[in-house]
Amino acid sequence: MPMAGSGDEHSDTDDDDPGDPGEFAGSLEFVVDGATSGQRLDVALAELSGESRAQVQRWIESGIVLVGGVPQTRPSRKLIDGDRIEATPQKPIEAALGPEPIPLDVLYEDEHLIVIAKPSGLVVHPAPGNWSGTLVNALLHHCHDLSGIGGVLRPGIVHRLDGGTSGVIVAAKNDHAHIGLSRQFEDHSIERMYLALVRAAPKADSGRVDRAIGRHPRDRKRMSVRTRAGRSAVTEWRLRERFKRAGAAWLEVRPRTGRTHQIRVHLASIGMPLVGDDVYGRAHRDRARHLPRIDHPALHAALLGFTHPATGERLRFEAPLPADLLAALDALRAAEVPV
């Protein structure tokens, strides 16, 4: 049963490393009784503290959980009556990344998560050589109720869109939401639909690509289906419009897995590279005629559906097409009309 709880309320973590222990928030102390005796340390401490099991496991791995005054490193340690559990959790620390007043098109927001219609050109996550001007920097400025991810005051990016891809993206504000959303992506219960303009006019009205994706055997910066160490990947597509004069098509695409560059790689592998994709479409650059110029892969995350990790409500969001894709479609449709 609980004896004391002097620690502040603080955030859960995601799957990142614990990192700098930061500033301690106080201590938690419990004594094991019949209700928790025989349980695993991580299970019992999660129940007693109200924290997620993932968070508690991070505490144990970082050495801040003691049983009988001895630091524990095994979450599976079985407890017995009278064991005294102590933990010294940390406060969220300020992220090294800075907030930036980048405009955001917010489709939905509450205390658990935020859904954005991301424009093309906005990189999602900072990386070496690109530490500013990202979606994370924008969210740090916009969100004033972050409880933290991984002990750090920052949003939890559950999934990513390529910098050139526009459309719906969700970010978590706390560990509970981050874990709940991540599990839905892992078990494929997320609903995702993309729209893609490709350099081909397929004869079929639909198709399915089931080919593993891994690093390109010669160019490590690219992904490829020609790999010996790929991960399974499945993409389904359906024709929306065929533009015979331009040799192009407008597709509805549903990825059933979530591999890096999956849609771009899979469509290129069957001779339907995205318009504007100079990485995976170079070999097909001259096949289509009269195509509008688009300076990024013509891919839009049009729909995202998921179960709210806190309320259990099923949510569904759609992002309107950006102006450049709308203009491209208008031009292609006009070219199909006989003069």
Side-chain angles (χ1 to χ4, degrees):
M1 60 183 295
M3 287 185 61
S6 58
D8 297 340
E9 289 298 319
H10 60 285
S11 71
D12 293 346
T13 69
D14 64 4
D15 289 332
D16 292 339
D17 293 333
D20 189 331
E23 180 183 356
F24 287 118
S27 63
L28 300 171
E29 189 174 340
F30 308 95
V31 172
V32 175
D33 58 15
T36 50
S37 180
Q39 286 188 331
R40 289 170 52 114
L41 173 59
D42 57 348
V43 172
L45 185 52
E47 292 177 357
L48 291 168
S49 67
E51 297 286 352
S52 72
R53 187 171 171 186
Q55 166 71 312
V56 167
Q57 288 174 345
R58 303 304 188 279
W59 290 352
I60 294 170
E61 291 166 2
S62 61
I64 65 170
V65 176
L66 284 66
V67 176
V70 179
Q72 301 297 307
T73 57
R74 290 190 305 112
S76 61
R77 184 196 193 280
K78 292 297 180 64
L79 298 172
I80 61 175
D81 279 346
D83 275 344
R84 183 182 299 272
I85 307 173
E86 299 171 84
T88 50
Q90 62 190 39
K91 286 181 180 178
I93 57 177
E94 292 295 331
L97 302 169
E100 297 179 32
I102 300 169
L104 292 174
D105 183 0
V106 179
L107 302 177
Y108 175 87
E109 183 177 10
D110 62 20
E111 67 269 33
H112 304 285
L113 53 86
I114 183 170
V115 181
I116 302 293
K118 185 186 89 66
S120 170
L122 179 62
V123 175
V124 171
H125 205 281
N130 190 39
W131 294 113
S132 63
T134 72
L135 178 61
V136 168
N137 297 107
L139 289 172
L140 285 170
H141 175 82
H142 175 88
C143 300
H144 302 291
D145 56 351
L146 293 176
S147 63
I149 304 290
V152 180
L153 291 176
R154 61 178 174 85
I157 302 300
V158 183
H159 64 125
R160 300 189 186 189
L161 298 178
D162 292 343
T165 301
S166 57
V168 189
I169 186 169
V170 61
K173 293 185 177 183
N174 55 57
D175 185 55
H176 176 76
H178 190 272
I179 292 172
L181 290 169
S182 296
R183 285 175 178 167
Q184 292 179 62
F185 276 94
E186 290 170 3
D187 64 23
H188 309 302
S189 61
I190 293 284
E191 180 184 7
R192 292 183 294 167
M193 189 273 284
Y194 291 73
L195 296 171
L197 182 60
V198 299
R199 292 185 183 128
K203 295 180 180 180
D205 291 337
S206 63
R208 175 185 171 96
V209 185
D210 186 351
R211 301 183 70 180
I213 292 176
R215 292 291 173 187
H216 192 283
R218 293 185 300 277
D219 184 351
R220 302 300 293 172
K221 294 182 180 180
R222 298 172 59 198
M223 307 303 289
S224 175
V225 295
R226 293 183 294 177
T227 177
R228 295 180 179 178
R231 301 176 67 188
S232 63
V234 176
T235 302
E236 297 172 352
W237 62 270
R238 183 175 70 84
L239 183 71
R240 282 202 167 188
E241 293 183 70
R242 186 182 285 113
F243 305 108
K244 292 184 178 179
R245 285 194 170 189
W250 185 233
L251 306 181
E252 176 181 306
V253 185
R254 294 181 183 268
R256 301 307 181 185
T257 50
R259 308 306 178 206
T260 301
H261 299 174
Q262 177 175 318
I263 293 174
R264 297 165 63 189
V265 171
H266 268 174
L267 292 182
S269 75
I270 58 172
M272 298 196 300
L274 296 176
V275 171
D277 192 345
D278 291 335
V279 175
Y280 297 105
R282 287 176 294 186
H284 307 267
R285 186 174 297 162
D286 299 326
R287 291 189 180 181
R289 303 173 301 279
H290 312 299
L291 277 175
R293 177 60 185 168
I294 297 178
D295 61 2
H296 61 88
L299 184 64
H300 177 69
L303 184 150
L304 181 67
F306 56 87
T307 300
H308 195 293
T311 68
E313 180 184 3
R314 190 68 184 178
L315 302 175
R316 201 167 186 261
F317 302 97
E318 296 186 43
L321 280 176
D324 60 349
L325 288 183
L326 284 171
L329 290 172
D330 287 343
L332 289 166
R333 289 164 183 154
E336 291 295 298
V337 178
V339 178

